[in-house]
């Protein structure tokens, strides 16, 4: 395939808020042979395009006027898994501001283009990026399908060659090993990298692996040294904050994130977490200032969420500024019309009304929030609703929502921290939240073990009833869902199932495949299904 043919087939999105520059870029890229080219003026337009087109290359100006910049947009896309791994993201920036822009990049783009640049310079850079894109294609495809075992296999093929991509491939492989809960092996990969070069991300990888293994003190020690030696490597601060929350020290968690925010104040995800920590520690004025600033900064940007307004409203309510709190929610209601956002805003309105003494309005808002199916709520939404339930004295409902978060996301340290913050804001001490976390984990283990034991004893009806109820309640807990599929398959193989049993088994199996196409339980499930076919 010639360069011209390759260029003509690539789908390119250009984002720039200056009409003259948009026109110039469009003419330059068209003259180079790019045919599948879309040019937009802002992030909102870009996201609308990205809903329908899978772009190979995104060219985004760093400075998009007031509001969200190109770097923040990249972070938003990657943290929400909205950008295919194989897509190339290039930030365009002025040469005199490149150093400050690059030093603040937590989520590093594939490349930078410094203004002014020629069409020839872009094409040279583009060709190199396309070579890299082609080289990593099989890994990227496996990564996008969340087939972590395949990612590791493809990485090993390249690592055996020991070529110039060795360190980059090690990084990808180690991250995949962490995804499938193999921290000991990931640590070996990170250690191999550190023998070659002292790279901060590899040191942080060791810390994360230690935490996964339960060695929190070792993880803290590594993170503290990394902050001291590489104070601008901001990811370490985020992780250290999580460790502090795990250790029940919300004050230290807050201070760590304040340090990170002082270095790079524009990260919206960190500001959200920092605001919640400020609320947890009773620093409601700080929470108000943080969220007011971020909402103003990202005004009219799609990166804002209803939960941002809910945080601001809660901080105002806690200071007795109830009219302002309700006004914030009313403003949010004009922009966020989806059911999930409306639930968050209703839960927050319940708190604001209760603080204002409008008990009837508070009950109506909370009833609206609780009216739907609360079993399938996203974690952050469930946490908001739990806050409102605690505030209304509905402790049992609040505990149930938090337990749902914990059991559906058993290995997520940040969500465990979120549960602790919700409990703290409700006036509970850390002991209570720790007990909830421990008991929630024990309950899942007990259900799993009971289901397996009953199936092994041939009590398939009871085993299926127990494990499928848990799998339907916890669709994100792959240990439960995979065991449900396995027990259903075993029931069919042993002539204790029917057509509905098979449908349910395949449904759970598909959920496992969608989450991890190489889940270790899939082989056992498929073996049982083959046995069932033979038996039939």
């Amino acid at each position: 395939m010639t360069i011209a043919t390759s260029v003509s087939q690539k789908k390119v999105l250009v984002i720039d808020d200056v009409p003259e520059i948009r026109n110039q870029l469009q003419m330059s890229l068209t003259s180079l042979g790019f045919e599948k080219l879309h040019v937009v003026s802002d992030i909102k337009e870009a996201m609308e395009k990205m809903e329908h087109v899978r772009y190979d290359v995104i060219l985004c100006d760093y400075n998009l006027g007031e509001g969200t910049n190109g770097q923040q947009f990249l972070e938003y896309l990657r943290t929400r898994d909205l950008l295919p791994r194989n897509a190339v993201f290039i930030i365009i920036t002025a040469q005199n501001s490149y150093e400050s822009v690059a030093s603040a990049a937590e989520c590093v783009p594939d490349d930078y283009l410094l203004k002014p640049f020629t069409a020839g310079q872009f094409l040279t850079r583009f060709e190199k990026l396309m070579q890299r894109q082609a080289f990593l294609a099989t890994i990227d495809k496996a990564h996008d399908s969340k087939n972590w075992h395949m990612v590791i296999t493809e990485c090993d093929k390249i690592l055996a060659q020991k070529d110039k991509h060795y360190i980059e491939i090690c990084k990808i492989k180690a991250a995949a090993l962490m995804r499938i809960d193999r921290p000991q092996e990931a640590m070996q990969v990170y250690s191999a990298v550190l023998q070659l070069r002292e790279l901060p991300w590899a040191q942080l990888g060791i810390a994360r692996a230690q935490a996964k293994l339960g060695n929190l003190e070792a993880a803290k020690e590594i993170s503290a040294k990394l902050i001291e030696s590489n104070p601008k490597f901001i990811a370490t601060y985020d992780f250290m904050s999580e460790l502090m929350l795990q250790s029940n020290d919300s004050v230290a968690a807050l201070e760590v994130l304040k340090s990170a925010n002082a270095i790079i104040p524009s990260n919206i995800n960190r500001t959200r977490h920092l605001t919640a920590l400020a609320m947890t520690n009773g620093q409601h004025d700080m929470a108000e200032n943080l969220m007011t600033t971020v909402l103003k900064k990202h005004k009219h940007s799609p990166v804002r969420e209803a939960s941002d307004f809910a945080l601001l409203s809660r901080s105002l309510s806690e200071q007795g500024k109830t009219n302002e709190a309700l006004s914030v929610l009313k403003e949010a209601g004009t922009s966020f019309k989806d059911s999930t956002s409306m639930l968050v805003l209703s839960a927050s309105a319940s708190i604001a009304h209760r603080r204002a003494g409008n008990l009837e309005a508070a009950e109506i808002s909370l009833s609206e929030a609780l009216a739907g199916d609360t079993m399938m709520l996203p974690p952050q939404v469930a946490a908001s609703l739990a806050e409102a339930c605690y505030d209304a004295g509905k402790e049992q409902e609040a505990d149930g929502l938090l337990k749902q978060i914990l059991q559906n996301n058993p290995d997520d340290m940040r969500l465990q921290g979120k549960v602790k913050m919700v409990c703290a804001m409700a006036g509970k001490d850390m002991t209570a939240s720790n007990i909830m976390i421990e008991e929630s984990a024990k309950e899942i283990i007990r259900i799993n073990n009971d289901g397996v034991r009953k199936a092994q004893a041939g009590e398939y009806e009871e085993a299926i009833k127990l494990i499928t109820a848990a799998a339907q309640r916890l669709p994100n807990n792959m240990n439960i869902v995979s065991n449900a599929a396995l027990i259903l398959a075993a029931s069919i193989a042993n002539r204790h199932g029917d057509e509905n049993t098979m449908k349910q088994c395949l449904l759970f199996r598909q959920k496992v495949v969608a989450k991890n196409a190489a889940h270790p339980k899939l082989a056992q499930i498929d073996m049982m299904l083959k046995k069932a076919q033979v038996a039939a």
Side-chain angles (χ1 to χ4, degrees):
M1 183 182 292
T2 65
I3 292 174
T5 304
S6 174
V7 163
S8 68
Q9 292 179 354
K10 296 297 180 182
K11 295 174 183 175
V12 181
L13 177 65
V14 175
I15 312 166
D16 199 297
D17 64 321
V18 181
E20 294 79 9
I21 298 197
R22 284 201 305 276
N23 293 336
Q24 181 184 339
L25 286 169
Q26 186 166 23
M27 286 189 292
S28 295
L29 293 173
T30 301
S31 71
L32 290 172
F34 287 94
E35 298 175 2
K36 300 177 180 179
L37 178 63
H38 290 152
V39 180
V40 299
S41 61
D42 57 35
I43 287 171
K44 184 178 180 181
E45 280 188 84
M47 289 186 66
E48 289 170 356
K49 292 286 186 185
M50 291 174 70
E51 286 180 8
H52 306 288
V53 181
R54 184 186 176 101
Y55 290 99
D56 300 294
V57 182
I58 298 175
L59 277 170
C60 184
D61 193 60
Y62 176 79
N63 187 354
L64 295 171
E66 294 184 4
T68 308
N69 62 42
Q71 175 63 37
Q72 292 160 347
F73 182 47
L74 172 61
E75 290 166 3
Y76 175 82
L77 293 174
R78 286 198 176 153
T79 54
R80 282 162 179 74
D81 206 18
L82 298 174
L83 193 66
R85 184 176 174 81
N86 209 226
V88 169
F89 196 103
I90 303 171
I91 287 181
I92 304 171
T93 186
Q95 192 159 1
N96 58 7
S97 62
Y98 164 72
E99 189 173 335
S100 60
V101 168
S103 67
E106 296 179 59
C107 197
V108 182
D110 295 284
D111 208 345
Y112 291 95
L113 273 175
L114 305 184
K115 300 177 184 177
F117 59 88
T118 66
Q121 287 171 330
F122 169 74
L123 187 59
T124 300
R125 201 74 62 86
F126 173 80
E127 288 172 11
K128 288 181 180 178
L129 288 169
M130 289 303 98
Q131 288 171 5
R132 178 180 175 277
Q133 188 183 69
F135 183 79
L136 296 175
T138 54
I139 291 175
D140 291 340
K141 184 177 179 181
H143 192 283
D144 285 344
S145 65
K146 297 180 172 54
N147 189 337
W148 308 118
H149 288 82
M150 182 60 70
V151 169
I152 293 164
T153 299
E154 293 299 326
C155 284
D156 283 339
K157 290 178 184 177
I158 298 173
L159 291 174
Q161 301 169 19
K162 294 188 181 297
D163 66 3
K164 63 180 181 179
H165 297 282
Y166 182 83
I167 289 178
E168 181 182 5
I169 301 302
C170 281
K171 185 177 184 179
I172 297 170
K173 178 183 176 179
L177 287 166
M178 291 291 284
R179 291 266 198 168
I180 57 174
D181 202 22
R182 288 159 61 179
Q184 194 71 54
E185 293 171 69
M187 195 150 53
Q188 292 172 1
V189 177
Y190 287 127
S191 296
V193 170
L194 290 172
Q195 288 177 4
L196 299 174
R197 289 172 61 187
E198 285 290 319
L199 293 168
W201 59 260
Q203 292 171 310
L204 181 58
I206 295 278
R208 290 188 184 280
Q210 289 284 15
K212 196 92 167 173
L213 291 166
N215 305 323
L216 293 186
E217 292 306 314
K220 283 183 196 175
E221 184 178 347
I222 294 167
S223 299
K225 289 180 179 177
L226 186 51
I227 288 173
E228 185 178 350
S229 60
N230 292 273
K232 289 191 175 182
F233 187 61
I234 304 298
T236 315
Y237 295 79
D238 295 328
F239 180 62
M240 179 65 100
S241 179
E242 292 174 22
L243 291 175
M244 292 305 181
L245 269 179
Q246 285 287 308
S247 301
N248 305 324
D249 193 343
S250 63
V251 174
L254 175 64
E255 291 304 315
V256 168
L257 278 197
K258 280 171 67 177
S259 298
N261 198 57
I263 299 168
I264 301 179
S266 57
N267 183 290
I268 193 167
N269 287 325
R270 182 175 305 109
T271 304
R272 287 169 179 145
H273 195 49
L274 182 56
T275 303
L277 275 170
M279 294 285 295
T280 302
N281 287 285
Q283 297 190 31
H284 305 122
D285 55 342
M286 176 185 170
E288 177 192 351
N289 291 333
L290 283 165
M291 199 45 64
T292 298
T293 301
V294 83
L295 286 173
K296 184 177 180 181
K297 167 70 178 172
H298 296 279
K299 192 173 184 179
H300 307 306
S301 170
V303 305
R304 299 198 306 180
E305 299 174 354
S307 58
D308 300 330
F309 290 87
L311 271 172
L312 176 56
S313 175
R314 181 70 190 270
S315 69
L316 291 165
S317 293
E318 294 297 332
Q319 296 176 79
K321 302 175 183 178
T322 52
N323 287 336
E324 291 176 56
L326 289 167
S327 178
V328 163
L329 298 175
K330 185 177 180 180
E331 178 192 347
T334 63
S335 301
F336 300 95
K337 301 292 187 181
D338 61 286
S339 58
T340 300
S341 296
M342 290 173 68
L343 189 153
V344 170
L345 297 176
S346 292
S348 300
S350 170
I351 296 173
H353 281 305
R354 198 171 300 280
R355 292 289 187 278
N358 305 325
L359 300 185
E360 185 177 351
E363 285 301 320
I364 291 172
S365 293
L366 185 55
S367 296
E368 289 174 355
L370 290 169
D373 182 5
T374 59
M375 300 291 285
M376 298 298 180
L377 296 176
Q380 298 296 341
V381 178
S384 294
L385 189 50
E387 287 181 35
C389 286
Y390 277 134
D391 193 66
K394 297 180 182 293
E395 190 156 326
Q396 187 174 351
E397 289 89 340
D399 287 349
L401 287 161
L402 295 184
K403 189 169 82 169
Q404 178 80 2
I405 294 171
L406 293 167
Q407 294 183 339
N408 213 13
N409 305 275
D411 301 316
D412 195 318
M413 281 178 59
R414 176 155 287 194
L415 286 178
Q416 289 180 14
K418 180 65 177 177
V419 167
K420 290 184 177 186
M421 286 191 280
V422 172
C423 288
M425 282 191 278
K428 295 175 176 288
D429 60 27
M430 285 295 183
T431 303
S433 56
N434 284 336
I435 291 172
M436 179 185 290
I437 291 168
E438 290 171 12
E439 289 301 319
S440 294
K442 287 178 182 177
E443 182 181 326
I444 290 302
I445 293 170
R446 186 167 59 251
I447 290 171
N448 235 334
N449 291 345
D450 287 350
V452 171
R453 195 160 41 244
K454 288 179 183 296
Q456 289 173 341
E459 300 171 5
Y460 288 108
E461 188 175 339
E462 291 182 39
I464 289 171
K465 185 178 179 181
L466 180 70
I467 199 73
T468 56
Q472 287 164 350
R473 181 170 68 85
L474 306 169
N476 200 46
N477 188 318
M478 286 303 105
N479 195 25
I480 287 286
V481 174
S482 61
N483 265 343
L486 181 58
I487 288 172
L488 286 161
S491 169
I492 298 164
N494 287 280
R495 300 178 182 277
H496 289 279
D498 55 20
E499 187 178 341
N500 287 332
T501 311
M502 175 63 83
K503 285 181 180 177
Q504 199 170 28
C505 172
L506 294 177
L507 181 64
F508 286 135
R509 182 190 179 280
Q510 185 54 41
K511 286 184 178 180
V512 176
V513 171
K515 192 77 173 177
N516 180 359
H519 194 284
K521 281 275 175 67
L522 286 171
Q524 294 174 264
I525 294 166
D526 290 344
M527 185 177 69
M528 281 296 175
L529 289 174
K530 286 181 181 178
K531 183 179 175 183
Q533 287 178 337
V534 172

